[in-house]
């Protein structure tokens, strides 16, 4: 992959980490549209948001979202509460 494409992908993707353990639990894509005004959505697989993965029985309450900063080659994090009303809990349809 070309270096330019790597930079574009790095700016559109995020790393998810467990707020308690600090372990990496997955990745996601940043979605923004002008009509959303000041909202940004993170799209990820549902199993990343559960302590028990595909069991979908132990939802995490909060996660760290790590954004990559290509200017200084580092990540910065923000902690967010998970709105489980937006999480699709079906192992057969989990991406």
């Amino acid at each position: 992959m070309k270096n330019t494409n790597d930079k574009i992908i790095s700016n559109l993707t995020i790393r998810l980490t467990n707020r308690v353990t600090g372990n990496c639990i997955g990745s996601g894509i940043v979605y923004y549209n002008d009509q959303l005004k000041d909202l940004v959505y993170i799209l990820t697989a549902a199993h990343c948001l559960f302590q028990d993965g595909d069991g979908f029985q132990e939802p995490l309450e909060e996660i760290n979202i790590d954004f990559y900063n290509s200017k200084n080659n580092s990540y910065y994090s923000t902690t967010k509460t998970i709105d489980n009303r937006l999480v699709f809990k079906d192992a057969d349809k989990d991406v």
Side-chain angles (χ1 to χ4, degrees):
M1 186 178 310
K2 293 182 179 180
N3 194 21
T4 305
N5 292 340
D6 276 347
K7 288 182 181 181
I8 292 169
I9 291 170
S10 293
N11 288 327
L12 296 174
T13 58
I14 51 91
R15 177 176 65 190
L16 300 173
T17 56
N18 185 301
R19 187 190 62 77
V20 176
T21 66
N23 293 336
C24 182
I25 56 175
S27 61
I29 299 170
V30 178
Y31 176 77
Y32 171 79
N33 182 306
D34 287 337
Q35 294 176 343
L36 295 173
K37 303 192 191 257
D38 61 347
L39 296 176
V40 173
Y41 282 88
I42 303 297
L43 308 176
T44 190
H47 68 263
C48 296
L49 306 177
F50 287 82
Q51 189 69 37
D52 61 338
D54 287 338
F56 299 113
Q57 299 300 309
E58 300 174 42
L60 296 169
E61 291 183 21
E62 295 181 317
I63 56 169
N64 290 335
I65 301 172
D66 303 334
F67 293 88
Y68 182 68
N69 182 335
S70 59
K71 291 182 182 176
N72 64 6
N73 197 32
S74 65
Y75 286 89
Y76 66 94
S77 297
T78 184
T79 300
K80 293 296 175 187
T81 301
I82 298 169
D83 184 348
N84 281 297
R85 296 173 301 162
L86 302 175
V87 178
F88 191 67
K89 304 166 187 132
D90 185 338
D92 293 330
K93 296 180 181 176
D94 188 24
V95 201

